[in-house]
Amino acid sequence: MPTALITGGSSGLGAEFARQLAASGHDLILTARDEARLAAIAVELRDCYRARVAIVPADLATVGGCEVIAARLRQGGAASVDLLVNNAGIGFGTPATRNSIHQELELLQVNAAAKAHLTLAALPVMRARGSGAIINVSSVAALAPAWTDSGYGAAEAHVLAFTEALAYSRAVRGSGVRLMALCPGAVKTGFNARAGIADSLTPEWRWITAQAVVRCALRDLRRGRTVSIPSARYKFLAFLLKHLPHRMAPLYARDFGDLPRAGQQAQPSPAP
Ligand SMILES: NC(=O)c1ccc[n+]([C@@H]2O[C@H](COP(=O)([O-])OP(=O)(O)OC[C@H]3O[C@@H](n4cnc5c(N)ncnc54)[C@H](OP(=O)(O)O)[C@@H]3O)[C@@H](O)[C@H]2O)c1
């Protein structure tokens, strides 16, 4: 049985990766901070799919926590991990200029540095074996500076650029290892509630389901894509953002400072 290790496997996209990979016969290693929630999803996966599931609690906001997972990824032979899904991430509804520096550094660590850490830990074993795959979960927010006063897009841009830089490198090309960045748009998960962002801010047509995102990601990985952008509407948005002159960015940029908190009424968008 192939083995997949999923960070942030207790909720949202990570839990959905776990379900779809369990359904396709993977053994799973799930990690996040909350051990009780990890245990609950492990029970669900064993009951529904008869999957073999191990849970490893770790805080990816610390280098020590990353090393716990990195050590697991460095194991070779029968214990080797075939697919790493670098998915754990956080966001803040409050603007970067009002957050503490500690909060902003935590976001950079969890959303960007931890993914680089685990990618670099997994790659040597996968390259030596001549097989393996890494999905680094980024966001459409990585594609342009559309959300100002937030470090989120910048952290996601690091994930996208780092994944592409490695995927096209001599070290990875032809090694049998596949790297792919996943850039979803708005997905209803626990993300907004944790970030303190009201779901009502996002028009209904912009939501995509976690099921559709993960289905598309796994299909794009099989097809050898380096960047996966689920759904036609977000592919179109990505096309526009890529081809609009960069000097237009301030016109479509949206200030995170304007976001209503969860439980408040959404205000009309201040920017087109
Ligand atoms: N939802 C969206 O609209 C959306 C759109 C684009 C991209 N994304 C990206 O998708 C990924 C998954 O987000 P989601 O929407 O599924 O959010 P979610 O439902 O809030 O899940 C986040 C997961 O990350 C884990 N996590 C958070 N901080 C952690 C830490 N310090 N150490 C270890 N694990 C941590 C959480 O578990 P614990 O709290 O127990 O640690 C949870 O399992 C993120 O990288 C996010 O940036 C989301």
Side-chain angles (χ1 to χ4, degrees), residues 8-14 32-34 37 58-61 87-90 106 110-111 115 137-140 152 156 184-187 189-191 194:
S10 60
S11 170
L13 289 174
R33 289 166 302 180
D34 186 329
R37 284 206 306 166
D59 184 357
L60 299 178
N87 160 78
I90 57 171
E106 181 186 352
V110 176
N111 293 28
K115 288 170 183 156
V137 180
S138 173
S139 164
V140 287
Y152 182 78
E156 302 308 308
V187 195
T189 62
F191 185 90
R194 288 162 186 254

PDB file of all heavy atoms in Angstrom, residues 8-14 32-34 37 58-61 87-90 106 110-111 115 137-140 152 156 184-187 189-191 194, ligand 1:
ATOM      1  N   GLY A   8      -1.943  19.113   8.568  1.00  0.00           N
ATOM      2  CA  GLY A   8      -3.282  19.717   8.666  1.00  0.00           C
ATOM      3  C   GLY A   8      -4.344  18.711   8.267  1.00  0.00           C
ATOM      4  O   GLY A   8      -5.368  19.081   7.694  1.00  0.00           O
ATOM      5  N   GLY A   9      -4.106  17.443   8.602  1.00  0.00           N
ATOM      6  CA  GLY A   9      -4.999  16.363   8.155  1.00  0.00           C
ATOM      7  C   GLY A   9      -6.262  16.230   8.980  1.00  0.00           C
ATOM      8  O   GLY A   9      -7.073  15.335   8.735  1.00  0.00           O
ATOM      9  N   SER A  10      -6.458  17.114   9.967  1.00  0.00           N
ATOM     10  CA  SER A  10      -7.609  16.964  10.867  1.00  0.00           C
ATOM     11  C   SER A  10      -8.813  17.773  10.435  1.00  0.00           C
ATOM     12  O   SER A  10      -9.870  17.690  11.060  1.00  0.00           O
ATOM     13  CB  SER A  10      -7.199  17.397  12.282  1.00  0.00           C
ATOM     14  OG  SER A  10      -6.781  18.755  12.269  1.00  0.00           O
ATOM     15  N   SER A  11      -8.688  18.594   9.388  1.00  0.00           N
ATOM     16  CA  SER A  11      -9.772  19.534   9.067  1.00  0.00           C
ATOM     17  C   SER A  11      -9.728  19.918   7.592  1.00  0.00           C
ATOM     18  O   SER A  11      -8.693  19.767   6.936  1.00  0.00           O
ATOM     19  CB  SER A  11      -9.568  20.788   9.946  1.00  0.00           C
ATOM     20  OG  SER A  11     -10.402  21.842   9.557  1.00  0.00           O
ATOM     21  N   GLY A  12     -10.830  20.417   7.075  1.00  0.00           N
ATOM     22  CA  GLY A  12     -10.879  21.063   5.766  1.00  0.00           C
ATOM     23  C   GLY A  12     -10.241  20.264   4.641  1.00  0.00           C
ATOM     24  O   GLY A  12     -10.533  19.084   4.442  1.00  0.00           O
ATOM     25  N   LEU A  13      -9.375  20.906   3.888  1.00  0.00           N
ATOM     26  CA  LEU A  13      -8.760  20.259   2.720  1.00  0.00           C
ATOM     27  C   LEU A  13      -7.922  19.048   3.125  1.00  0.00           C
ATOM     28  O   LEU A  13      -7.898  18.035   2.429  1.00  0.00           O
ATOM     29  CB  LEU A  13      -7.887  21.265   1.959  1.00  0.00           C
ATOM     30  CG  LEU A  13      -8.638  22.357   1.189  1.00  0.00           C
ATOM     31  CD1 LEU A  13      -7.680  23.380   0.610  1.00  0.00           C
ATOM     32  CD2 LEU A  13      -9.459  21.726   0.064  1.00  0.00           C
ATOM     33  N   GLY A  14      -7.216  19.150   4.244  1.00  0.00           N
ATOM     34  CA  GLY A  14      -6.366  18.040   4.690  1.00  0.00           C
ATOM     35  C   GLY A  14      -7.195  16.797   4.992  1.00  0.00           C
ATOM     36  O   GLY A  14      -6.833  15.675   4.598  1.00  0.00           O
ATOM     37  N   ALA A  32      -1.244  17.336  12.808  1.00  0.00           N
ATOM     38  CA  ALA A  32      -1.816  18.649  13.132  1.00  0.00           C
ATOM     39  C   ALA A  32      -1.501  18.835  14.625  1.00  0.00           C
ATOM     40  O   ALA A  32      -0.826  17.978  15.215  1.00  0.00           O
ATOM     41  CB  ALA A  32      -3.315  18.685  12.864  1.00  0.00           C
ATOM     42  N   ARG A  33      -1.980  19.922  15.234  1.00  0.00           N
ATOM     43  CA  ARG A  33      -1.678  20.095  16.661  1.00  0.00           C
ATOM     44  C   ARG A  33      -2.676  19.372  17.558  1.00  0.00           C
ATOM     45  O   ARG A  33      -2.311  18.758  18.553  1.00  0.00           O
ATOM     46  CB  ARG A  33      -1.694  21.597  17.020  1.00  0.00           C
ATOM     47  CG  ARG A  33      -0.537  22.364  16.466  1.00  0.00           C
ATOM     48  CD  ARG A  33      -0.792  23.847  16.555  1.00  0.00           C
ATOM     49  NE  ARG A  33      -2.023  24.203  15.838  1.00  0.00           N
ATOM     50  CZ  ARG A  33      -2.509  25.424  15.746  1.00  0.00           C
ATOM     51  NH1 ARG A  33      -1.891  26.419  16.343  1.00  0.00           N
ATOM     52  NH2 ARG A  33      -3.617  25.655  15.068  1.00  0.00           N
ATOM     53  N   ASP A  34      -3.966  19.411  17.201  1.00  0.00           N
ATOM     54  CA  ASP A  34      -5.021  18.918  18.090  1.00  0.00           C
ATOM     55  C   ASP A  34      -5.154  17.396  17.970  1.00  0.00           C
ATOM     56  O   ASP A  34      -5.727  16.884  16.998  1.00  0.00           O
ATOM     57  CB  ASP A  34      -6.328  19.629  17.696  1.00  0.00           C
ATOM     58  CG  ASP A  34      -7.470  19.321  18.639  1.00  0.00           C
ATOM     59  OD1 ASP A  34      -7.500  18.204  19.208  1.00  0.00           O
ATOM     60  OD2 ASP A  34      -8.335  20.187  18.809  1.00  0.00           O
ATOM     61  N   ARG A  37      -8.773  15.807  17.631  1.00  0.00           N
ATOM     62  CA  ARG A  37      -9.402  15.906  16.299  1.00  0.00           C
ATOM     63  C   ARG A  37      -8.739  14.947  15.311  1.00  0.00           C
ATOM     64  O   ARG A  37      -9.385  14.380  14.440  1.00  0.00           O
ATOM     65  CB  ARG A  37      -9.335  17.342  15.786  1.00  0.00           C
ATOM     66  CG  ARG A  37     -10.366  18.241  16.472  1.00  0.00           C
ATOM     67  CD  ARG A  37     -10.763  19.415  15.627  1.00  0.00           C
ATOM     68  NE  ARG A  37      -9.588  20.176  15.210  1.00  0.00           N
ATOM     69  CZ  ARG A  37      -9.601  21.073  14.263  1.00  0.00           C
ATOM     70  NH1 ARG A  37     -10.700  21.318  13.604  1.00  0.00           N
ATOM     71  NH2 ARG A  37      -8.502  21.738  13.957  1.00  0.00           N
ATOM     72  N   ALA A  58       1.951  17.512  16.000  1.00  0.00           N
ATOM     73  CA  ALA A  58       3.155  18.364  15.928  1.00  0.00           C
ATOM     74  C   ALA A  58       2.716  19.784  15.611  1.00  0.00           C
ATOM     75  O   ALA A  58       1.735  20.001  14.907  1.00  0.00           O
ATOM     76  CB  ALA A  58       4.100  17.855  14.836  1.00  0.00           C
ATOM     77  N   ASP A  59       3.449  20.734  16.153  1.00  0.00           N
ATOM     78  CA  ASP A  59       3.168  22.153  15.892  1.00  0.00           C
ATOM     79  C   ASP A  59       4.161  22.667  14.858  1.00  0.00           C
ATOM     80  O   ASP A  59       5.350  22.839  15.150  1.00  0.00           O
ATOM     81  CB  ASP A  59       3.279  22.949  17.201  1.00  0.00           C
ATOM     82  CG  ASP A  59       2.900  24.409  17.002  1.00  0.00           C
ATOM     83  OD1 ASP A  59       2.619  24.807  15.855  1.00  0.00           O
ATOM     84  OD2 ASP A  59       2.888  25.143  18.007  1.00  0.00           O
ATOM     85  N   LEU A  60       3.672  22.927  13.649  1.00  0.00           N
ATOM     86  CA  LEU A  60       4.559  23.347  12.560  1.00  0.00           C
ATOM     87  C   LEU A  60       4.947  24.816  12.675  1.00  0.00           C
ATOM     88  O   LEU A  60       5.699  25.324  11.841  1.00  0.00           O
ATOM     89  CB  LEU A  60       3.898  23.067  11.206  1.00  0.00           C
ATOM     90  CG  LEU A  60       3.572  21.592  10.933  1.00  0.00           C
ATOM     91  CD1 LEU A  60       2.882  21.417   9.587  1.00  0.00           C
ATOM     92  CD2 LEU A  60       4.830  20.731  10.991  1.00  0.00           C
ATOM     93  N   ALA A  61       4.439  25.486  13.712  1.00  0.00           N
ATOM     94  CA  ALA A  61       4.878  26.865  13.958  1.00  0.00           C
ATOM     95  C   ALA A  61       6.255  26.889  14.609  1.00  0.00           C
ATOM     96  O   ALA A  61       6.835  27.958  14.800  1.00  0.00           O
ATOM     97  CB  ALA A  61       3.870  27.595  14.834  1.00  0.00           C
ATOM     98  N   ASN A  87      -0.073  20.710   3.661  1.00  0.00           N
ATOM     99  CA  ASN A  87      -1.356  21.416   3.565  1.00  0.00           C
ATOM    100  C   ASN A  87      -1.625  22.378   4.718  1.00  0.00           C
ATOM    101  O   ASN A  87      -2.322  23.375   4.529  1.00  0.00           O
ATOM    102  CB  ASN A  87      -2.460  20.339   3.483  1.00  0.00           C
ATOM    103  CG  ASN A  87      -3.809  20.870   3.845  1.00  0.00           C
ATOM    104  OD1 ASN A  87      -4.458  21.544   3.047  1.00  0.00           O
ATOM    105  ND2 ASN A  87      -4.252  20.599   5.076  1.00  0.00           N
ATOM    106  N   ALA A  88      -1.078  22.136   5.917  1.00  0.00           N
ATOM    107  CA  ALA A  88      -1.454  22.958   7.084  1.00  0.00           C
ATOM    108  C   ALA A  88      -1.207  24.437   6.800  1.00  0.00           C
ATOM    109  O   ALA A  88      -0.186  24.808   6.217  1.00  0.00           O
ATOM    110  CB  ALA A  88      -0.655  22.518   8.311  1.00  0.00           C
ATOM    111  N   GLY A  89      -2.160  25.260   7.198  1.00  0.00           N
ATOM    112  CA  GLY A  89      -1.987  26.701   6.997  1.00  0.00           C
ATOM    113  C   GLY A  89      -2.962  27.483   7.855  1.00  0.00           C
ATOM    114  O   GLY A  89      -3.976  26.952   8.315  1.00  0.00           O
ATOM    115  N   ILE A  90      -2.626  28.748   8.084  1.00  0.00           N
ATOM    116  CA  ILE A  90      -3.476  29.636   8.874  1.00  0.00           C
ATOM    117  C   ILE A  90      -3.625  30.974   8.137  1.00  0.00           C
ATOM    118  O   ILE A  90      -2.895  31.245   7.179  1.00  0.00           O
ATOM    119  CB  ILE A  90      -2.878  29.909  10.289  1.00  0.00           C
ATOM    120  CG1 ILE A  90      -1.454  30.499  10.167  1.00  0.00           C
ATOM    121  CG2 ILE A  90      -2.873  28.646  11.117  1.00  0.00           C
ATOM    122  CD1 ILE A  90      -0.880  31.006  11.491  1.00  0.00           C
ATOM    123  N   GLU A 106       4.548  33.781  12.635  1.00  0.00           N
ATOM    124  CA  GLU A 106       3.937  32.448  12.772  1.00  0.00           C
ATOM    125  C   GLU A 106       3.288  32.039  11.439  1.00  0.00           C
ATOM    126  O   GLU A 106       3.426  30.899  10.993  1.00  0.00           O
ATOM    127  CB  GLU A 106       2.888  32.465  13.892  1.00  0.00           C
ATOM    128  CG  GLU A 106       2.239  31.108  14.099  1.00  0.00           C
ATOM    129  CD  GLU A 106       1.101  31.135  15.103  1.00  0.00           C
ATOM    130  OE1 GLU A 106       0.893  32.174  15.762  1.00  0.00           O
ATOM    131  OE2 GLU A 106       0.411  30.101  15.213  1.00  0.00           O
ATOM    132  N   VAL A 110       4.309  28.690   9.436  1.00  0.00           N
ATOM    133  CA  VAL A 110       3.396  27.560   9.181  1.00  0.00           C
ATOM    134  C   VAL A 110       3.093  27.443   7.685  1.00  0.00           C
ATOM    135  O   VAL A 110       3.150  26.354   7.104  1.00  0.00           O
ATOM    136  CB  VAL A 110       2.066  27.718   9.977  1.00  0.00           C
ATOM    137  CG1 VAL A 110       1.092  26.591   9.640  1.00  0.00           C
ATOM    138  CG2 VAL A 110       2.345  27.756  11.469  1.00  0.00           C
ATOM    139  N   ASN A 111       2.773  28.594   7.049  1.00  0.00           N
ATOM    140  CA  ASN A 111       2.286  28.535   5.662  1.00  0.00           C
ATOM    141  C   ASN A 111       3.406  28.368   4.642  1.00  0.00           C
ATOM    142  O   ASN A 111       3.182  27.816   3.570  1.00  0.00           O
ATOM    143  CB  ASN A 111       1.485  29.796   5.322  1.00  0.00           C
ATOM    144  CG  ASN A 111       0.184  29.873   6.098  1.00  0.00           C
ATOM    145  OD1 ASN A 111       0.089  29.350   7.192  1.00  0.00           O
ATOM    146  ND2 ASN A 111      -0.815  30.522   5.538  1.00  0.00           N
ATOM    147  N   LYS A 115       6.481  24.264   4.992  1.00  0.00           N
ATOM    148  CA  LYS A 115       6.307  23.497   3.744  1.00  0.00           C
ATOM    149  C   LYS A 115       7.650  23.295   3.047  1.00  0.00           C
ATOM    150  O   LYS A 115       7.926  22.229   2.490  1.00  0.00           O
ATOM    151  CB  LYS A 115       5.291  24.196   2.838  1.00  0.00           C
ATOM    152  CG  LYS A 115       3.868  24.057   3.381  1.00  0.00           C
ATOM    153  CD  LYS A 115       2.866  24.918   2.655  1.00  0.00           C
ATOM    154  CE  LYS A 115       1.487  24.767   3.315  1.00  0.00           C
ATOM    155  NZ  LYS A 115       0.608  25.890   3.097  1.00  0.00           N
ATOM    156  N   VAL A 137       0.282  22.890  -0.778  1.00  0.00           N
ATOM    157  CA  VAL A 137      -0.958  23.661  -0.904  1.00  0.00           C
ATOM    158  C   VAL A 137      -0.649  25.149  -0.753  1.00  0.00           C
ATOM    159  O   VAL A 137      -0.147  25.601   0.280  1.00  0.00           O
ATOM    160  CB  VAL A 137      -2.010  23.205   0.128  1.00  0.00           C
ATOM    161  CG1 VAL A 137      -3.296  24.026  -0.031  1.00  0.00           C
ATOM    162  CG2 VAL A 137      -2.310  21.718  -0.029  1.00  0.00           C
ATOM    163  N   SER A 138      -0.918  25.886  -1.832  1.00  0.00           N
ATOM    164  CA  SER A 138      -0.757  27.336  -1.850  1.00  0.00           C
ATOM    165  C   SER A 138      -2.169  27.930  -1.961  1.00  0.00           C
ATOM    166  O   SER A 138      -3.094  27.428  -1.304  1.00  0.00           O
ATOM    167  CB  SER A 138       0.155  27.705  -3.033  1.00  0.00           C
ATOM    168  OG  SER A 138       0.236  29.092  -3.223  1.00  0.00           O
ATOM    169  N   SER A 139      -2.370  28.925  -2.783  1.00  0.00           N
ATOM    170  CA  SER A 139      -3.678  29.580  -2.896  1.00  0.00           C
ATOM    171  C   SER A 139      -3.690  30.456  -4.139  1.00  0.00           C
ATOM    172  O   SER A 139      -2.628  30.877  -4.610  1.00  0.00           O
ATOM    173  CB  SER A 139      -3.894  30.450  -1.648  1.00  0.00           C
ATOM    174  OG  SER A 139      -4.937  31.365  -1.849  1.00  0.00           O
ATOM    175  N   VAL A 140      -4.897  30.791  -4.644  1.00  0.00           N
ATOM    176  CA  VAL A 140      -4.952  31.790  -5.725  1.00  0.00           C
ATOM    177  C   VAL A 140      -4.417  33.132  -5.230  1.00  0.00           C
ATOM    178  O   VAL A 140      -4.016  33.969  -6.024  1.00  0.00           O
ATOM    179  CB  VAL A 140      -6.377  31.987  -6.315  1.00  0.00           C
ATOM    180  CG1 VAL A 140      -6.795  30.812  -7.161  1.00  0.00           C
ATOM    181  CG2 VAL A 140      -7.387  32.290  -5.237  1.00  0.00           C
ATOM    182  N   TYR A 152      -0.528  36.975   4.042  1.00  0.00           N
ATOM    183  CA  TYR A 152      -0.992  35.667   3.565  1.00  0.00           C
ATOM    184  C   TYR A 152      -0.564  35.403   2.115  1.00  0.00           C
ATOM    185  O   TYR A 152       0.035  34.373   1.808  1.00  0.00           O
ATOM    186  CB  TYR A 152      -2.514  35.569   3.716  1.00  0.00           C
ATOM    187  CG  TYR A 152      -3.063  34.237   3.292  1.00  0.00           C
ATOM    188  CD1 TYR A 152      -2.955  33.128   4.126  1.00  0.00           C
ATOM    189  CD2 TYR A 152      -3.680  34.066   2.051  1.00  0.00           C
ATOM    190  CE1 TYR A 152      -3.451  31.895   3.732  1.00  0.00           C
ATOM    191  CE2 TYR A 152      -4.169  32.836   1.658  1.00  0.00           C
ATOM    192  CZ  TYR A 152      -4.061  31.751   2.504  1.00  0.00           C
ATOM    193  OH  TYR A 152      -4.538  30.532   2.103  1.00  0.00           O
ATOM    194  N   GLU A 156       1.917  32.498   0.566  1.00  0.00           N
ATOM    195  CA  GLU A 156       1.446  31.531  -0.448  1.00  0.00           C
ATOM    196  C   GLU A 156       2.264  31.652  -1.730  1.00  0.00           C
ATOM    197  O   GLU A 156       2.499  30.657  -2.427  1.00  0.00           O
ATOM    198  CB  GLU A 156      -0.045  31.748  -0.726  1.00  0.00           C
ATOM    199  CG  GLU A 156      -0.960  31.623   0.499  1.00  0.00           C
ATOM    200  CD  GLU A 156      -0.754  30.341   1.268  1.00  0.00           C
ATOM    201  OE1 GLU A 156      -0.786  29.275   0.651  1.00  0.00           O
ATOM    202  OE2 GLU A 156      -0.542  30.404   2.496  1.00  0.00           O
ATOM    203  N   PRO A 184      -5.987  26.711  -4.634  1.00  0.00           N
ATOM    204  CA  PRO A 184      -7.448  26.795  -4.627  1.00  0.00           C
ATOM    205  C   PRO A 184      -7.919  28.237  -4.430  1.00  0.00           C
ATOM    206  O   PRO A 184      -7.205  29.067  -3.884  1.00  0.00           O
ATOM    207  CB  PRO A 184      -7.843  25.950  -3.408  1.00  0.00           C
ATOM    208  CG  PRO A 184      -6.596  25.436  -2.802  1.00  0.00           C
ATOM    209  CD  PRO A 184      -5.463  26.203  -3.364  1.00  0.00           C
ATOM    210  N   GLY A 185      -9.175  28.465  -4.843  1.00  0.00           N
ATOM    211  CA  GLY A 185      -9.859  29.706  -4.475  1.00  0.00           C
ATOM    212  C   GLY A 185     -10.555  29.496  -3.143  1.00  0.00           C
ATOM    213  O   GLY A 185     -10.062  28.749  -2.292  1.00  0.00           O
ATOM    214  N   ALA A 186     -11.733  30.106  -2.968  1.00  0.00           N
ATOM    215  CA  ALA A 186     -12.414  30.034  -1.668  1.00  0.00           C
ATOM    216  C   ALA A 186     -13.051  28.661  -1.447  1.00  0.00           C
ATOM    217  O   ALA A 186     -13.829  28.199  -2.278  1.00  0.00           O
ATOM    218  CB  ALA A 186     -13.493  31.104  -1.610  1.00  0.00           C
ATOM    219  N   VAL A 187     -12.686  28.021  -0.348  1.00  0.00           N
ATOM    220  CA  VAL A 187     -13.224  26.697  -0.005  1.00  0.00           C
ATOM    221  C   VAL A 187     -13.821  26.790   1.396  1.00  0.00           C
ATOM    222  O   VAL A 187     -13.165  27.317   2.305  1.00  0.00           O
ATOM    223  CB  VAL A 187     -12.115  25.620   0.020  1.00  0.00           C
ATOM    224  CG1 VAL A 187     -12.729  24.224   0.003  1.00  0.00           C
ATOM    225  CG2 VAL A 187     -11.135  25.789  -1.122  1.00  0.00           C
ATOM    226  N   THR A 189     -14.180  25.692   4.688  1.00  0.00           N
ATOM    227  CA  THR A 189     -13.524  24.787   5.640  1.00  0.00           C
ATOM    228  C   THR A 189     -13.534  25.507   6.992  1.00  0.00           C
ATOM    229  O   THR A 189     -14.244  26.498   7.149  1.00  0.00           O
ATOM    230  CB  THR A 189     -12.059  24.548   5.217  1.00  0.00           C
ATOM    231  OG1 THR A 189     -11.377  25.811   5.245  1.00  0.00           O
ATOM    232  CG2 THR A 189     -11.940  23.939   3.832  1.00  0.00           C
ATOM    233  N   GLY A 190     -12.707  25.085   7.905  1.00  0.00           N
ATOM    234  CA  GLY A 190     -12.615  25.799   9.178  1.00  0.00           C
ATOM    235  C   GLY A 190     -11.742  27.042   9.086  1.00  0.00           C
ATOM    236  O   GLY A 190     -11.601  27.786  10.062  1.00  0.00           O
ATOM    237  N   PHE A 191     -11.181  27.292   7.898  1.00  0.00           N
ATOM    238  CA  PHE A 191     -10.158  28.340   7.743  1.00  0.00           C
ATOM    239  C   PHE A 191     -10.672  29.730   8.126  1.00  0.00           C
ATOM    240  O   PHE A 191     -10.068  30.445   8.921  1.00  0.00           O
ATOM    241  CB  PHE A 191      -9.658  28.326   6.297  1.00  0.00           C
ATOM    242  CG  PHE A 191      -8.527  29.271   6.026  1.00  0.00           C
ATOM    243  CD1 PHE A 191      -7.204  28.862   6.184  1.00  0.00           C
ATOM    244  CD2 PHE A 191      -8.764  30.573   5.604  1.00  0.00           C
ATOM    245  CE1 PHE A 191      -6.164  29.732   5.934  1.00  0.00           C
ATOM    246  CE2 PHE A 191      -7.723  31.446   5.358  1.00  0.00           C
ATOM    247  CZ  PHE A 191      -6.421  31.025   5.514  1.00  0.00           C
ATOM    248  N   ARG A 194     -11.476  30.267  11.843  1.00  0.00           N
ATOM    249  CA  ARG A 194     -10.248  30.397  12.645  1.00  0.00           C
ATOM    250  C   ARG A 194      -9.579  31.744  12.414  1.00  0.00           C
ATOM    251  O   ARG A 194      -8.980  32.318  13.323  1.00  0.00           O
ATOM    252  CB  ARG A 194      -9.230  29.327  12.261  1.00  0.00           C
ATOM    253  CG  ARG A 194      -9.572  27.935  12.696  1.00  0.00           C
ATOM    254  CD  ARG A 194      -8.694  27.036  11.849  1.00  0.00           C
ATOM    255  NE  ARG A 194      -8.986  25.651  12.023  1.00  0.00           N
ATOM    256  CZ  ARG A 194      -8.204  24.817  12.703  1.00  0.00           C
ATOM    257  NH1 ARG A 194      -7.115  25.256  13.283  1.00  0.00           N
ATOM    258  NH2 ARG A 194      -8.522  23.556  12.794  1.00  0.00           N
TER     259      ARG A 194
HETATM  260  N1  LIG B   1     -10.140  27.461   2.805  1.00  0.00           N
HETATM  261  C1  LIG B   1      -9.774  28.236   1.791  1.00  0.00           C
HETATM  262  O1  LIG B   1     -10.573  29.040   1.259  1.00  0.00           O
HETATM  263  C2  LIG B   1      -8.380  28.118   1.241  1.00  0.00           C
HETATM  264  C3  LIG B   1      -8.122  28.715   0.002  1.00  0.00           C
HETATM  265  C4  LIG B   1      -6.846  28.620  -0.540  1.00  0.00           C
HETATM  266  C5  LIG B   1      -5.862  27.948   0.139  1.00  0.00           C
HETATM  267  N2  LIG B   1      -6.115  27.378   1.359  1.00  0.00           N
HETATM  268  C6  LIG B   1      -5.016  26.692   2.035  1.00  0.00           C
HETATM  269  O2  LIG B   1      -5.426  25.361   2.267  1.00  0.00           O
HETATM  270  C7  LIG B   1      -4.713  24.824   3.385  1.00  0.00           C
HETATM  271  C8  LIG B   1      -5.700  24.101   4.298  1.00  0.00           C
HETATM  272  O3  LIG B   1      -6.610  25.052   4.818  1.00  0.00           O
HETATM  273  P1  LIG B   1      -8.113  24.693   5.206  1.00  0.00           P
HETATM  274  O4  LIG B   1      -8.969  25.634   4.454  1.00  0.00           O
HETATM  275  O5  LIG B   1      -8.353  23.249   5.107  1.00  0.00           O
HETATM  276  O6  LIG B   1      -8.087  25.197   6.731  1.00  0.00           O
HETATM  277  P2  LIG B   1      -8.557  24.504   8.110  1.00  0.00           P
HETATM  278  O7  LIG B   1      -9.849  23.786   7.935  1.00  0.00           O
HETATM  279  O8  LIG B   1      -8.489  25.618   9.116  1.00  0.00           O
HETATM  280  O9  LIG B   1      -7.426  23.428   8.408  1.00  0.00           O
HETATM  281  C9  LIG B   1      -6.123  23.814   8.750  1.00  0.00           C
HETATM  282  C10 LIG B   1      -5.352  22.610   9.248  1.00  0.00           C
HETATM  283  O10 LIG B   1      -4.008  23.036   9.558  1.00  0.00           O
HETATM  284  C11 LIG B   1      -3.681  22.620  10.885  1.00  0.00           C
HETATM  285  N3  LIG B   1      -2.766  23.592  11.492  1.00  0.00           N
HETATM  286  C12 LIG B   1      -2.980  24.920  11.702  1.00  0.00           C
HETATM  287  N4  LIG B   1      -1.923  25.465  12.342  1.00  0.00           N
HETATM  288  C13 LIG B   1      -1.030  24.458  12.535  1.00  0.00           C
HETATM  289  C14 LIG B   1       0.235  24.383  13.170  1.00  0.00           C
HETATM  290  N5  LIG B   1       0.806  25.447  13.772  1.00  0.00           N
HETATM  291  N6  LIG B   1       0.887  23.197  13.188  1.00  0.00           N
HETATM  292  C15 LIG B   1       0.325  22.093  12.616  1.00  0.00           C
HETATM  293  N7  LIG B   1      -0.872  22.106  12.007  1.00  0.00           N
HETATM  294  C16 LIG B   1      -1.545  23.272  11.974  1.00  0.00           C
HETATM  295  C17 LIG B   1      -5.032  22.570  11.610  1.00  0.00           C
HETATM  296  O11 LIG B   1      -5.037  21.693  12.741  1.00  0.00           O
HETATM  297  P3  LIG B   1      -4.651  22.166  14.248  1.00  0.00           P
HETATM  298  O12 LIG B   1      -5.309  23.510  14.469  1.00  0.00           O
HETATM  299  O13 LIG B   1      -5.141  21.084  15.141  1.00  0.00           O
HETATM  300  O14 LIG B   1      -3.154  22.274  14.279  1.00  0.00           O
HETATM  301  C18 LIG B   1      -5.933  22.001  10.517  1.00  0.00           C
HETATM  302  O15 LIG B   1      -5.823  20.596  10.470  1.00  0.00           O
HETATM  303  C19 LIG B   1      -4.001  26.007   4.043  1.00  0.00           C
HETATM  304  O16 LIG B   1      -2.635  25.967   3.689  1.00  0.00           O
HETATM  305  C20 LIG B   1      -4.676  27.232   3.422  1.00  0.00           C
HETATM  306  O17 LIG B   1      -3.789  28.330   3.338  1.00  0.00           O
HETATM  307  C21 LIG B   1      -7.363  27.442   1.919  1.00  0.00           C
END
